[in-house]
Amino acid sequence: MDIKIENLRVFNDVAFVAHSARVSGVGKVRCECGGRRSCERCSGSGMREPTDEEIFTMILENDYSSALEHVVFSFEIRGLSKGNALELLEHRIASHTGRSTRYQSEVDFDFNLPPAVSRILEKYGIDEVEYKKSIARDALVPEIADEDERSILESYAEAIGTARKAYSRLLQRGAGKESARYVTPFAIHTAYTYTINLRSLINFLGLRLCVRASPEMRELAAKVYMAVREKFPPISLVWCRGYNFAACPENEVRDSPQGKECPFRNRNSRVFIPTRKQIRMGITLQKFDSEAFEKLREELLRRWAGIP
Ligand SMILES: Cc1cc2nc3c(=O)[nH]c(=O)nc-3n(C[C@H](O)[C@H](O)[C@H](O)COP(=O)(O)OP(=O)(O)OC[C@H]3O[C@@H](n4cnc5c(N)ncnc54)[C@H](O)[C@@H]3O)c2cc1C
Ligand SMILES: [Zn+2]
């Protein structure tokens, strides 16, 4: 749970998206007054110009997404594992500048803990930071009776410890950073300066705020979501792909072990979202309870971002 999103900047806003849509051409909407002659908004015609917020929502709902590309976010990502950074880079519609392992020393590299290790530490109330420090000091991992669990902690500590020592030794013997980095693990921290437009960000969040995404990518997506929301509240209009489309494309996954954790899968819940396959079978979205969803969203964000 080491990921941090820092120095977020937002270029352009809802008003600019609405402006671009108006340049393109936006129809009028029905006025709330119902055509009252004294109405200032529609001069009695019953039809008025939409507000910036209404245009923005319409663009999102109707998926006229090119207008969303005018809003751009730049931020720094820290504490992402090098291994999972590859998953981030699969999102091609973004710009990124990464920490160089050719030029920066990784002698004291920090690293992420995999889910299996975190689960054991949590079960026994062992502090993650302390466990990581014990690896650095070559100290013994805590005594745990369960042989499998102990072995998982030991194996992980051993691998990280060995990589650290080998890296330092390679540098001392003159191999250079460019070569020494070959022994660094999947878990080693990396950092990115990242720039992504709103259209691509929605695609990223839609795919990664999902129980199918790997835990670290979910953590990243949850933290990006919270950081963006602070400066760009309309991001609250989007969530996972199922929510955004009112139909989940992960048809088969719902019945898999991962899918069982999907909070939208229960047909009797107030936040049921059908899969596309279910819709074809005649199972449709029932009345979706927005308040229940908002509560659920906060819970998921906290859980996935590791906030107690
Ligand atoms: C749960 C999960 C599991 C995954 N498992 C794997 C895996 O096992 N192996 C693996 O390799 N990847 C895997 N991925 C990555 C996935 O295949 C995508 O590469 C990644 O999610 C980026 O999505 P994207 O292509 O929509 O995003 P971007 O690359 O940002 O593209 C955004 C959109 O632009 C369009 N686009 C981009 N490039 C092209 C193109 N060349 N041609 C046409 N349209 C384009 C598409 O509409 C696309 O949705 C997984 C992703 C998830 C969420
Ligand atoms: Zn009116």
Side-chain angles (χ1 to χ4, degrees):
M1 293 295 175
D2 292 349
I3 295 172
K4 286 192 179 66
I5 306 300
E6 293 171 351
N7 292 326
L8 183 116
R9 300 172 191 198
V10 189
F11 304 94
N12 288 329
D13 53 12
V14 165
F16 194 80
V17 173
H19 166 74
S20 77
R22 286 195 185 99
V23 170
S24 160
V26 177
K28 292 188 172 180
V29 295
R30 209 171 290 284
C31 187
E32 293 72 9
C33 75
R36 191 162 28 85
R37 204 180 285 172
S38 59
C39 177
E40 280 176 19
R41 298 180 84 187
C42 70
S43 312
S45 69
M47 299 299 283
R48 62 167 175 80
E49 297 294 334
T51 64
D52 289 354
E53 285 70 25
E54 283 169 337
I55 294 175
F56 184 80
T57 307
M58 181 267 292
I59 286 169
L60 263 184
E61 291 270 311
N62 297 20
D63 201 16
Y64 302 145
S65 304
S66 64
L68 304 178
E69 293 166 21
H70 298 298
V71 182
V72 176
F73 303 90
S74 284
F75 46 88
E76 280 159 44
I77 302 171
R78 298 192 180 275
L80 179 68
S81 71
K82 189 91 177 166
N84 273 308
L86 297 180
E87 292 195 21
L88 173 67
L89 301 191
E90 296 231 27
H91 293 266
R92 292 155 290 180
I93 315 298
S95 309
H96 28 76
T97 310
R99 175 185 163 87
S100 168
T101 45
R102 288 182 75 197
Y103 300 117
Q104 306 249 28
S105 168
E106 301 292 3
V107 166
D108 296 315
F109 73 76
D110 203 351
F111 53 92
N112 281 342
L113 299 176
V117 168
S118 294
R119 268 197 298 273
I120 297 168
L121 296 180
E122 196 185 335
K123 180 173 165 187
Y124 293 97
I126 303 164
D127 186 56
E128 289 200 351
V129 177
E130 288 307 314
Y131 171 72
K132 279 170 106 179
K133 276 193 201 150
S134 76
I135 294 176
R137 288 195 308 265
D138 242 347
L140 286 173
V141 297
E143 204 44 54
I144 288 174
D146 184 290
E147 207 177 307
D148 288 335
E149 291 174 334
R150 195 177 62 243
S151 177
I152 288 172
L153 294 193
E154 280 171 359
S155 302
Y156 192 70
E158 187 188 329
I160 296 286
T162 303
R164 273 170 180 257
K165 274 181 241 149
Y167 183 91
S168 293
R169 214 159 41 229
L170 286 164
L171 277 193
Q172 280 161 13
R173 300 286 176 169
K177 298 186 196 86
E178 188 175 66
S179 294
R181 64 179 174 160
Y182 277 64
V183 301
T184 60
F186 185 104
I188 187 173
H189 279 184
T190 186
Y192 280 95
T193 305
Y194 199 74
T195 297
I196 187 165
N197 69 47
L198 178 55
R199 182 184 196 173
S200 188
L201 179 70
I202 291 171
N203 182 55
F204 168 80
L205 295 172
L207 286 160
R208 306 295 179 172
L209 290 170
C210 167
V211 292
R212 261 212 80 200
S214 66
E216 198 177 325
M217 290 305 286
R218 239 170 17 213
E219 178 193 343
L220 173 65
K223 288 178 175 171
V224 168
Y225 191 90
M226 288 189 285
V228 166
R229 191 168 61 173
E230 267 183 34
K231 294 208 172 159
F232 188 78
I235 200 69
S236 305
L237 294 168
V238 304
W239 186 248
C240 66
R241 291 192 296 170
Y243 178 84
N244 299 344
F245 305 150
C248 173
E250 299 279 5
N251 291 313
E252 281 73 27
V253 172
R254 285 273 177 94
D255 299 321
S256 73
Q258 279 174 327
K260 291 209 174 3
E261 285 172 31
C262 172
F264 304 112
R265 73 190 288 273
N266 181 356
R267 280 172 66 179
N268 300 318
S269 88
R270 293 184 293 161
V271 290
F272 169 64
I273 297 172
T275 61
R276 286 179 178 168
K277 206 169 170 183
Q278 283 176 317
I279 290 176
R280 291 195 192 101
M281 285 159 48
I283 300 165
T284 53
L285 188 77
Q286 282 121 41
K287 194 174 173 334
F288 191 79
D289 186 333
S290 303
E291 255 176 56
F293 166 70
E294 269 164 43
K295 206 164 149 249
L296 172 68
R297 170 167 53 192
E298 297 318 304
E299 256 174 57
L300 293 174
L301 283 172
R302 293 184 82 85
R303 192 188 317 153
W304 292 347
I307 302 167

